[in-house]
């Protein structure tokens, strides 16, 4: 009987202790949270840390509160070498670690979180960079890369920004990091674009677009991204990896992105890739190689081949436009027009093909024995330029300059009057052009 009584007493005692502990956690949670909301971080500190120690999964906001408290302590303590600073910094890193560990438990309980374990690691890396007494870039990079690789298109914009920023700092310190930096840029760009595409909140979308611009600026200003540098970096590597399609595809993507498609290394990488894996990107590179050499027949052949293999209409538009430019250089004007129209059909709102078509027509104005009628060709040229800026406001400045230039070549009203034409009449431009325009 005494044993049963003792066991019951012990169980009761444990239950009471547990209840008291839970009450303490609830009380401390309430006290600390209210203090944080009032920005009274000093009084929030002890109860908040007690909750994390005794019942870390009581409420998720305890973690965000703790991070705010410790960030405030570090921001107000300017002596990074002090014992207090190191203590609070270590605690901040510990809170991040505990949050990462407990995120799955919160999710299992049905708590809706806006952050994943990988996102938590990215947040830790950002605080590490901001507050570490002496930050190790390699450590920060490892955490950020793990975070970005894990979350991909779901990665927070700030994590993507710091990921590329740290990668840029590494490449400036060690050129051996160059290849990885280029890959990091490609990844960060891809993921931020995915995030922009899926984001529905205007403010957050705008922030992501700003981050995308910063990512591009970091890459351009890295010091290793101009065409000459890329030629020096990738020239020897392309020869050494001429049978590695993965390497060649990555190299071509970087060179095209940086508009280095007139560099020797771009031609060489495309040629090697075409031999082992003939795809659209490789065919385009080979086409550009022949175009630069003045072999327009082969350039058109490979552009056509690329068009047949490509499935992305935006890329097809660019390929058709490049083919038109090659044919124009070869003075194959009728064929050049055909590819201008193809380019415009592949991509809605693409003004450049109409500008090129205007120049093509302007290069061949003579179709009649009457000089005044020949000058009517420039009315048609202006039509195409007007069409360019109507479909694509981005080319308005270029189109307006060309309109100003070509307007000087249109015929005088008196000269047309002598031929029986006046303003508002329609005239068909003869020869290979065969299009009608209105006399102004």
């Amino acid at each position: 009987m005494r044993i049963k009584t003792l066991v019951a007493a012990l169980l009761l005692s444990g239950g009471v202790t547990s209840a008291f502990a839970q009450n303490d956690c609830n009380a401390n949670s309430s006290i600390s949270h209210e203090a944080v909301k009032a920005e009274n971080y000093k009084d929030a500190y002890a109860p908040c840390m007690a909750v994390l120690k005794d019942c870390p999964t009581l409420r998720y906001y305890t973690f965000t509160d703790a991070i705010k408290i410790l960030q405030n302590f570090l921001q107000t303590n300017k002596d990074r070498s002090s014992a207090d600073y190191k203590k609070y910094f270590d605690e901040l890193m510990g809170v991040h670690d505990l949050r990462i560990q407990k995120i799955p438990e919160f999710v299992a309980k049905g708590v809706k979180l806006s952050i994943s374990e990988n996102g938590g690691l990215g947040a830790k890396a950002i605080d590490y960079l901001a507050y570490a007494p002496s930050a190790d870039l390699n450590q920060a990079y490892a955490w950020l890369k793990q975070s970005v690789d894990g979350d991909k298109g779901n990665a927070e914009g700030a994590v993507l920004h710091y990921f590329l920023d740290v990668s840029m700092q590494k490449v400036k310190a060690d050129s051996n990091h160059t290849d990885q930096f280029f890959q990091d840029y490609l990844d960060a760009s891809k993921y931020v674009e995915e995030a922009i595409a899926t984001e529905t909140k205007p403010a957050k979308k705008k922030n992501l677009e700003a981050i995308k611009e910063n990512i591009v600026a970091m890459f351009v200003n890295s010091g290793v991204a101009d065409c000459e540098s890329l030629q020096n970096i990738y020239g020897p590597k392309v020869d050494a990896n001429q049978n590695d399609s993965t390497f060649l595809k990555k190299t071509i993507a970087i060179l095209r992105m940086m508009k280095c498609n007139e560099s020797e290394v771009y031609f060489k990488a495309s040629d090697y890739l075409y031999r082992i894996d003939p795809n659209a990107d490789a065919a385009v590179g080979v086409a550009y190689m022949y175009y630069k050499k003045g072999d327009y027949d082969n350039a058109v052949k490979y552009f056509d081949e690329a068009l047949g293999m490509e499935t992305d209409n935006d890329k097809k538009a660019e390929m058709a436009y490049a083919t038109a430019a090659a044919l124009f250089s070869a003075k194959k004007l009728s064929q050049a027009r055909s590819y201008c129209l193809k380019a415009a059909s592949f991509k809605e709102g693409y003004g450049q093909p109409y500008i090129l078509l205007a120049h093509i027509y302007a290069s061949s104005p003579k179709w009649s024995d009457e000089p005044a009628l020949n000058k009517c060709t420039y009315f048609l040229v202006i039509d195409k330029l007007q069409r360019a800026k109507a479909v694509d406001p981005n080319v308005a400045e270029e189109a307006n300059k060309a309109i100003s230039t070509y307007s000087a070549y249109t015929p005088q009203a008196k000269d047309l009057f002598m031929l029986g034409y006046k303003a508002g009449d329609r005239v068909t431009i003869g020869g290979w052009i065969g299009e009608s325009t209105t006399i102004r």
Side-chain angles (χ1 to χ4, degrees):
M1 189 65 180
R2 288 181 179 177
I3 292 175
K4 288 182 179 179
T5 302
L6 180 59
V7 169
L10 288 172
L11 288 172
L12 180 59
S13 173
V16 171
T17 302
S18 176
F20 274 123
Q22 185 69 21
N23 286 336
D24 284 346
C25 281
N26 282 320
N28 282 330
S29 176
S30 178
I31 292 167
S32 63
H33 191 54
E34 290 303 314
V36 168
K37 287 197 289 185
E39 298 185 2
N40 182 3
Y41 300 114
K42 182 178 179 182
D43 289 342
Y45 171 71
C48 186
M49 300 308 287
V51 175
L52 288 183
K53 178 177 179 295
D54 297 331
C55 38
T57 57
L58 180 66
R59 294 183 181 90
Y60 179 74
Y61 64 62
T62 307
F63 287 99
T64 55
D65 283 353
I67 289 169
K68 286 181 183 177
I69 293 164
L70 293 166
Q71 286 175 338
N72 176 263
F73 286 178
L74 293 169
Q75 289 163 7
T76 54
N77 187 337
K78 304 300 182 184
D79 184 3
R80 295 198 171 202
S81 63
S82 70
D84 279 348
Y85 189 95
K86 186 176 185 309
K87 171 181 177 292
Y88 293 133
F89 173 75
D90 289 343
E91 286 184 349
L92 177 60
M93 293 295 99
V95 170
H96 278 295
D97 288 338
L98 185 59
R99 178 169 72 164
I100 295 167
Q101 178 189 334
K102 297 299 181 182
I103 282 175
E105 293 184 37
F106 281 106
V107 173
K109 287 166 58 177
V111 179
K112 292 183 179 179
L113 302 180
S114 61
I115 193 168
S116 65
E117 293 167 79
N118 290 310
L121 183 60
K124 175 186 177 181
I126 292 172
D127 272 357
Y128 174 79
L129 288 166
Y131 300 112
S134 180
D136 179 349
L137 280 183
N138 292 325
Q139 178 62 80
Y141 175 77
W143 287 337
L144 288 164
K145 181 167 175 52
Q146 183 180 336
S147 176
V148 168
D149 287 347
D151 273 350
K152 301 187 186 306
N154 293 318
E156 286 291 323
V159 175
L160 291 169
H161 171 89
Y162 280 101
F163 168 59
L164 193 68
D165 180 61
V166 172
S167 188
M168 180 179 68
Q169 292 181 56
K170 280 174 63 66
V171 79
K172 287 183 175 180
D174 180 6
S175 61
N176 290 322
H177 186 69
T178 300
D179 282 354
Q180 187 59 53
F181 172 66
F182 288 148
Q183 187 59 52
D184 291 343
Y185 171 75
L186 293 174
D187 289 342
S189 297
K190 176 185 176 184
Y191 298 149
V192 77
E193 285 171 2
E194 289 176 4
I196 290 169
T198 58
E199 184 54 57
T200 57
K201 296 179 180 178
K204 195 166 183 181
K205 185 184 283 282
K206 184 177 180 181
N207 182 57
L208 286 168
E209 288 170 347
I211 287 171
K212 178 184 175 181
E213 291 177 5
N214 287 339
I215 285 172
V216 172
M218 278 190 278
F219 184 73
V220 171
N221 295 324
S222 65
V224 295
D226 61 276
C227 292
E228 183 179 355
S229 298
L230 293 172
Q231 173 70 45
N232 293 335
I233 291 165
Y234 281 106
K237 293 181 180 180
V238 164
D239 284 327
N241 293 276
Q242 59 186 271
N243 295 312
D244 184 344
S245 63
T246 300
F247 175 83
L248 294 170
K249 286 177 183 176
K250 184 184 79 171
T251 301
I252 290 168
I254 290 168
L255 292 166
R256 287 187 66 188
M257 176 181 60
M258 294 307 298
K259 302 188 185 305
C260 298
N261 51 2
E262 291 191 8
S263 62
E264 190 61 34
V265 67
Y266 173 72
F267 298 147
K268 190 175 288 188
S270 300
D271 189 33
Y272 284 143
L273 181 60
Y274 186 84
R275 295 179 192 181
I276 60 175
D277 181 15
N279 58 44
D281 285 342
V284 165
V286 175
Y288 274 121
M289 177 179 70
Y290 282 115
Y291 177 73
K292 189 175 182 182
K293 291 178 179 178
D295 186 343
Y296 302 118
D297 288 338
N298 267 320
V300 172
K301 171 189 170 185
Y302 283 99
F303 277 131
D304 265 341
E305 192 168 328
L307 274 171
M309 292 186 284
E310 184 56 66
T311 57
D312 183 290
N313 276 344
D314 283 358
K315 289 184 178 180
K316 289 178 81 165
E318 292 175 9
M319 292 172 189
Y321 176 79
T323 309
L327 287 164
F328 182 35
S329 295
K331 301 189 184 307
K332 296 181 179 181
L333 305 185
S334 180
Q335 288 176 271
R337 171 176 62 183
S338 175
Y339 280 93
C340 281
L341 297 176
K342 281 185 182 182
S345 70
F346 286 134
K347 184 178 179 181
E348 187 177 352
Y350 190 19
Q352 286 295 344
Y354 293 107
I355 291 179
L356 178 57
L357 183 53
H359 293 316
I360 292 169
Y361 284 171
S363 74
S364 180
K366 294 181 180 180
W367 55 275
S368 169
D369 292 333
E370 293 289 348
L373 289 179
N374 287 333
K375 289 184 177 182
C376 287
T377 304
Y378 293 102
F379 289 135
L380 184 60
V381 168
I382 293 169
D383 289 345
K384 300 307 175 186
L385 294 167
Q386 295 283 11
R387 175 68 174 162
K389 66 178 185 175
V391 301
D392 185 0
N394 292 322
V395 303
E397 183 178 355
E398 182 182 355
N400 285 332
K401 285 182 179 177
I403 288 170
S404 178
T405 298
Y406 289 127
S407 292
Y409 296 95
T410 56
Q412 296 290 317
K414 60 182 179 65
D415 294 331
L416 290 175
F417 180 76
M418 296 297 294
L419 299 172
Y421 291 96
K422 63 182 183 302
D425 287 349
R426 297 286 289 175
V427 61
T428 298
I429 307 303
W432 67 273
I433 295 177
E435 283 194 58
S436 296
T437 184
T438 300
I439 294 173
R440 277 66 150 175

